[in-house]
Amino acid sequence: MGWQESIENFWSWIIKIWNIKLFTSGANEIHLNQIIIALLTIYFGVFLTKRFTKIIGKRLEKIGKIDHQTAFVLQKIFSYVLIVIVVLVAMPIAGIPITIFTVLGGAVAIGIGFGAQNLFNNLISGLILMVERPIRIGDIVELAGAEGRVADIGNRCVRIRRSDGIDVLVPNSHFLEQDVVNWTLNDSDIRGSLSIGVAYGSDIKKVKELMLKAAKEHPKIIQNLEILVLFDDFGDNSLLFNLLFWTKVTRPMDLRRIQSEIRFTLDATFKEAGISISFPQRDVHLDTLTPLEIRLQR
């Protein structure tokens, strides 16, 4: 009997805590069990919503009628709508009236005024980014002097994968309020350039010929778009030439690799043709009335 009474007392204590009243909203009493049921309903509802929207997004891509970016946008918007529905449904199921939010409205407004402006700003900016699509997953963007590929567009921030393998988290509002260079907004065709200086007295026609040949023989340079060699200037130490070409990029390092490969090619072909790549040098002329006196000291 003593053991059974202990279990009964413990169970009655659990029930009292389960049914304990937390506060009153108007004529409605809010108990602990209602809050727990509401939180569990929201948790499982959000979990199932994310799984469901991922399945929907994959199905839309498999259909083939919309691209990956559109499927991603629809998935995100659908996820937001379902989460709101889950919250609105979870409250009445748990016995918590929706009107309770009118009581909490003042507190929420104060919270927004003091610390949540950036949070809501980034949330709304994220929706604008997904609808207007100034950036998309896979785009190569340049910001703060660094290039990277857009890996993910989240609710609060965009994840940028830099060429050195480091992920950078950028607030969504940054892409609407500041200047951002998107290399692949309309297409992946990018114009690259390469500068080189040759010594004075070099055969400039041969220089142009070798530069055009290096570009036209490179497999990743688009041949049906214009390839130019410009004689830029008579420099202090060299004749300056600039090679302009078009290529497709899928990663931030693609353009740098192509430029490097062309430089290797030009270095070899210029040596074979006897063309010197210039380097900084200075000629010093001393104008004196008397011969210079030179002394050697040990």
Side-chain angles (χ1 to χ4, degrees), residues 38 86 92 97 120-121 135 191 203 229 232 252 256:
V86 166
F120 281 88
N121 185 20
I135 60 170
R191 191 177 74 173
D203 186 350
V229 173
D232 274 349
R256 295 183 60 184

Side-chain angles (χ1 to χ4, degrees), residues 6 37 65 82 162 175 215 235 247 296:
S6 298
I37 293 173
K65 294 183 179 179
L82 286 182
R162 293 194 329 200
F175 293 90
T247 183
L296 300 177

Side-chain angles (χ1 to χ4, degrees), residues 193-194 218 245 253-267:
S193 64
L194 186 148
H218 197 285
F245 57 88
M253 284 293 292
D254 288 348
L255 183 59
R256 295 183 60 184
R257 286 195 180 97
I258 294 172
Q259 291 170 331
S260 175
E261 291 166 0
I262 294 177
R263 290 189 183 101
F264 277 116
T265 301
L266 290 178
D267 181 68

Side-chain angles (χ1 to χ4, degrees), residues 2-280:
W3 180 72
Q4 292 179 351
E5 289 180 356
S6 298
I7 294 178
E8 291 177 356
N9 291 333
F10 176 76
W11 185 250
S12 63
W13 179 73
I14 293 295
I15 293 175
K16 287 181 181 179
I17 294 178
W18 178 255
N19 294 319
I20 190 171
K21 184 177 72 172
L22 297 178
F23 58 92
T24 302
S25 175
N28 300 303
E29 294 183 351
I30 306 303
H31 298 83
L32 178 62
N33 55 12
Q34 295 173 281
I35 299 297
I36 294 176
I37 293 173
L39 292 177
L40 290 175
T41 303
I42 293 173
Y43 174 79
F44 286 107
V46 171
F47 174 77
L48 294 175
T49 294
K50 290 183 178 180
R51 296 293 298 271
F52 179 69
T53 51
K54 284 183 179 180
I55 294 174
I56 293 296
K58 291 180 180 179
R59 291 288 179 86
L60 290 174
E61 289 184 42
K62 289 182 179 179
I63 293 174
K65 294 183 179 179
I66 59 176
D67 57 14
H68 173 71
Q69 299 297 330
T70 305
F72 175 78
V73 172
L74 293 176
Q75 176 184 332
K76 283 289 185 180
I77 295 176
F78 194 40
S79 176
Y80 292 152
V81 173
L82 286 182
I83 289 174
V84 172
I85 293 175
V86 166
V87 173
L88 295 178
V89 171
M91 297 294 107
I93 290 178
I96 302 176
I98 302 298
T99 54
I100 190 175
F101 290 103
T102 59
V103 179
L104 301 176
V108 172
I110 294 174
I112 295 175
F114 281 96
Q117 300 100 322
N118 290 335
L119 175 62
F120 281 88
N121 185 20
N122 288 317
L123 287 174
I124 296 173
S125 297
L127 290 174
I128 295 175
L129 290 177
M130 287 186 290
V131 173
E132 293 189 354
R133 300 170 65 185
I135 60 170
R136 301 159 299 179
I137 294 178
D139 279 352
I140 299 175
V141 297
E142 180 180 349
L143 63 164
E147 300 91 18
R149 183 173 57 84
V150 178
D152 182 56
I153 302 176
N155 299 329
R156 190 187 61 83
C157 61
V158 175
R159 181 164 61 91
I160 306 295
R161 183 80 170 177
R162 293 194 329 200
S163 56
D164 55 7
I166 296 177
D167 289 333
V168 180
L169 301 179
V170 183
N172 291 334
S173 58
H174 180 96
F175 293 90
L176 300 179
E177 298 173 353
Q178 301 187 28
D179 294 336
V180 177
V181 178
N182 190 338
W183 290 12
T184 55
L185 178 60
N186 295 320
D187 54 50
S188 59
D189 294 347
I190 299 296
R191 191 177 74 173
S193 64
L194 186 148
S195 298
I196 191 169
V198 299
Y200 274 88
S202 300
D203 186 350
I204 60 174
K205 292 185 178 180
K206 189 65 175 179
V207 171
K208 179 179 179 180
E209 177 186 339
L210 294 176
M211 293 180 73
L212 287 174
K213 181 180 178 182
K216 290 179 179 179
E217 292 180 353
H218 197 285
K220 294 185 179 179
I221 290 180
I222 303 174
Q223 301 300 322
N224 58 353
L225 296 179
E226 189 175 23
I227 301 175
L228 286 176
V229 173
L230 301 179
F231 190 167
D232 274 349
D233 201 359
F234 294 93
D236 293 337
N237 307 294
S238 62
L239 304 174
L240 302 177
F241 291 85
N242 194 17
L243 173 64
L244 302 177
F245 57 88
W246 290 87
T247 183
K248 290 185 180 293
V249 296
T250 57
R251 293 174 296 179
M253 284 293 292
D254 288 348
L255 183 59
R256 295 183 60 184
R257 286 195 180 97
I258 294 172
Q259 291 170 331
S260 175
E261 291 166 0
I262 294 177
R263 290 189 183 101
F264 277 116
T265 301
L266 290 178
D267 181 68
T269 55
F270 278 13
K271 286 180 180 178
E272 293 178 359
I275 298 174
S276 299
I277 298 177
S278 64
F279 54 89

